Amino acid sequence: MRQYEPDRPTPVEMAAIRRGLRTGRAALGRRSFLGGALAVGGAGALSACGIPAAGKTQGGVSADDHSAQEKVVNFSNWPEYIDVDDSGKTHPTLDEFRKRTGITVKYTEDINDNDEFFGKIQPQLAAGQDTGRDLIVLTDWLAARMIRLGYVQQLDASNLPHAFANLSDQFRSPDWDPGRAYSYPWQGISTVVAFNKKALNGVEVKSVSDLLDNPALKGRVGLLTEMRDTVGMTMLDMGIDPAKFTDDDYDAVIARLQKAVDKGQIRRFTGNDYTSDLSKGDLAACVAWGGDIVQLQADNPDVAYVIPDSGYMTSTDNLMIPNKARHKTNAERLIDFYYEPQPAAELSAYVNYVSPVADVQPYLAKIDKGAASNPLIVPDKAMQAKSHAFRALSSKEETAYQQKFAKLTGA
């Protein structure tokens, strides 16, 4: 990957340009409600089929590992979620991995939605068959389900020295995978409060309460169709811990959001398509994803964000090895490679999401100084301390909560 050159667009700016010209990861609504809506039926359907929880299945089933004989990794990921060179044809970090290890990565951008992808591979996993993939990237709530169902293999720590040493404390031990036995983050996702300074016209926005209650913003507020982000941010604003909430807590949040909907405070609930409205000023303020804000700010100085005093939500997209993968060791070596600071920096400079690698900042600064100093890409300790994760849900909770949220949003 080329080094930073002041007279040319930075990797961050190039990423924004490419996303604007192509139907990429953001345009596909990667964290859209489609995943959550399908999860309502998906989780219940699995339960109805009698598939038991992890620990009571043949979970973690490995095939004979052919890594030594077959120098390959079959890697499935989301579109626009890895570094690309200026030609748009090759991935520099994958090329470096091949040169160093002799292992070729067959990289496929075939994950457009969590539940759509789960529906594609679930029949093979349930039947104990190889999916044809050695490494996949799933958002944390689906990663939790995969572990619960016993569909992914436990990782061999001896093949992951950099990952173990360099994983940021912020992501080290989620409740759905304590100690990261089955997963490692690919990138982190921050949910913040964003606004268009010009559209606000002097109105101050510092919290979710401002979004929901300030009459000056009536009809100009956006919330996300991703339940865990919108509900989680509102929980924090109400003093509720998203990691420990009860059914009554959840209902109280839905009631508060419903009140804002009923009085016309909310313009709409959106997926990634809020970015155009925010940039134009049709939305004065909204709940937003940090990676999108980084991209918007490259072109529009009116776009800004705030981390509420109550905190903000974080989630992760996670690297996992499905059952029966033929090249488990090779896949683990690729995971570990991306936890070396230099490859991690090159990846982060392109995708603009939160790097899960603790020591990435000085390496990123050599590529893009602006990215290295941006807390939406490299959170400082103060920002990390304000981060919160949504707790893992049971199948019953997932169904009930999504149904209530769908009724709220009109989905």
Side-chain angles (χ1 to χ4, degrees):
M1 190 172 193
R2 65 177 176 82
Q3 296 298 304
Y4 176 77
E5 299 175 50
D7 60 338
R8 299 181 62 188
T10 69
V12 171
E13 293 167 337
M14 287 303 299
I17 292 168
R18 289 190 182 101
R19 286 182 181 84
L21 296 175
R22 299 170 59 185
T23 54
R25 182 171 180 272
L28 289 163
R30 167 235 165 291
R31 289 175 58 79
S32 70
F33 184 70
L34 178 59
L38 291 177
V40 173
L46 290 174
S47 176
C49 291
I51 299 174
K56 299 180 181 178
T57 71
Q58 54 178 355
V61 179
S62 61
D64 292 335
D65 193 347
H66 298 270
S67 292
Q69 298 81 27
E70 300 173 5
K71 296 291 187 180
V72 66
V73 176
N74 296 303
F75 184 8
S76 285
N77 203 351
W78 300 77
E80 295 288 332
Y81 212 15
I82 197 170
D83 54 303
V84 180
D85 72 356
D86 289 340
S87 73
K89 297 179 180 179
T90 65
H91 307 293
T93 54
L94 293 183
D95 290 345
E96 174 60 27
F97 178 75
R98 177 184 52 79
K99 292 175 183 177
R100 188 190 304 183
T101 65
I103 299 169
T104 297
V105 180
K106 295 183 178 179
Y107 187 77
T108 307
E109 296 180 332
D110 63 344
I111 306 178
N112 295 323
D113 172 84
N114 279 291
D115 266 289
E116 177 187 50
F117 184 72
F118 180 75
K120 186 186 302 183
I121 64 175
Q122 189 270 338
Q124 295 164 295
L125 292 169
Q129 298 173 351
D130 179 14
T131 66
R133 300 168 177 85
D134 302 305
L135 196 60
I136 56 179
V137 178
L138 300 177
T139 306
D140 46 16
W141 59 266
L142 182 54
R145 187 197 299 176
M146 293 283 284
I147 294 171
R148 186 171 72 242
L149 293 170
Y151 284 169
V152 291
Q153 298 185 54
Q154 186 165 345
L155 301 173
D156 184 345
S158 67
N159 292 327
L160 298 161
H162 295 99
F164 181 81
N166 295 336
L167 176 61
S168 170
D169 289 342
Q170 183 178 3
F171 303 118
R172 190 163 286 275
S173 193
D175 65 349
W176 49 269
D177 187 15
R180 291 289 181 181
Y182 294 90
S183 68
Y184 268 90
W186 175 246
Q187 295 288 282
I189 303 162
S190 297
T191 304
V192 301
V193 172
F195 52 88
N196 184 307
K197 290 181 284 188
K198 187 175 181 179
L200 284 181
N201 194 27
V203 176
E204 189 173 59
V205 171
K206 291 186 176 181
S207 68
V208 171
S209 286
D210 292 332
L211 301 184
L212 301 181
D213 301 331
N214 191 332
L217 300 178
K218 183 176 180 179
R220 299 191 296 146
V221 171
L223 298 178
L224 293 169
T225 50
E226 173 57 46
M227 181 270 286
R228 288 162 177 82
D229 291 314
T230 290
V231 170
M233 289 292 284
T234 308
M235 282 182 173
L236 291 171
D237 190 73
M238 296 172 66
I240 300 169
D241 186 348
K244 299 178 180 178
F245 67 89
T246 65
D247 288 348
D248 288 343
D249 291 331
Y250 187 88
D251 289 344
V253 171
I254 294 296
R256 186 180 184 203
L257 291 169
Q258 186 66 59
K259 183 179 179 181
V261 170
D262 292 343
K263 67 182 180 182
Q265 188 76 4
I266 310 305
R267 180 182 178 91
R268 65 189 183 108
F269 290 82
T270 75
N272 290 94
D273 51 329
Y274 71 86
T275 55
S276 175
D277 285 348
L278 179 62
S279 186
K280 290 186 296 183
D282 292 341
L283 284 177
C286 61
V287 175
W289 291 308
D292 293 336
I293 302 308
V294 173
Q295 296 162 29
L296 290 176
Q297 287 180 322
D299 298 313
N300 188 343
D302 289 325
V303 174
Y305 74 96
V306 65
I307 303 297
D309 289 341
S310 59
Y312 69 104
M313 297 300 296
T314 56
S315 55
T316 50
D317 287 329
N318 305 277
L319 296 155
M320 310 183 88
I321 300 175
N323 288 353
K324 293 290 186 177
R326 286 177 60 89
H327 312 105
K328 181 174 184 287
T329 299
N330 290 346
E332 289 167 338
R333 292 183 69 182
L334 183 58
I335 294 173
D336 198 60
F337 170 78
Y338 278 106
Y339 275 81
E340 296 179 25
Q342 182 61 36
E346 294 185 19
L347 175 64
S348 189
Y350 184 84
V351 302
N352 306 157
Y353 285 84
V354 178
S355 175
V357 177
D359 297 324
V360 73
Q361 190 168 34
Y363 295 85
L364 183 56
K366 295 177 182 178
I367 302 171
D368 190 310
K369 293 179 180 178
S373 62
N374 191 329
L376 292 178
I377 298 175
V378 186
D380 56 26
K381 290 188 181 301
M383 184 167 169
Q384 288 183 30
K386 288 187 173 184
S387 70
H388 297 264
F390 205 90
R391 70 170 173 83
L393 302 179
S394 67
S395 295
K396 181 179 179 180
E397 287 176 325
E398 188 171 321
T399 300
Y401 293 167
Q402 288 285 10
Q403 286 175 342
K404 292 175 181 178
F405 190 70
K407 183 178 179 180
L408 169 76
T409 62

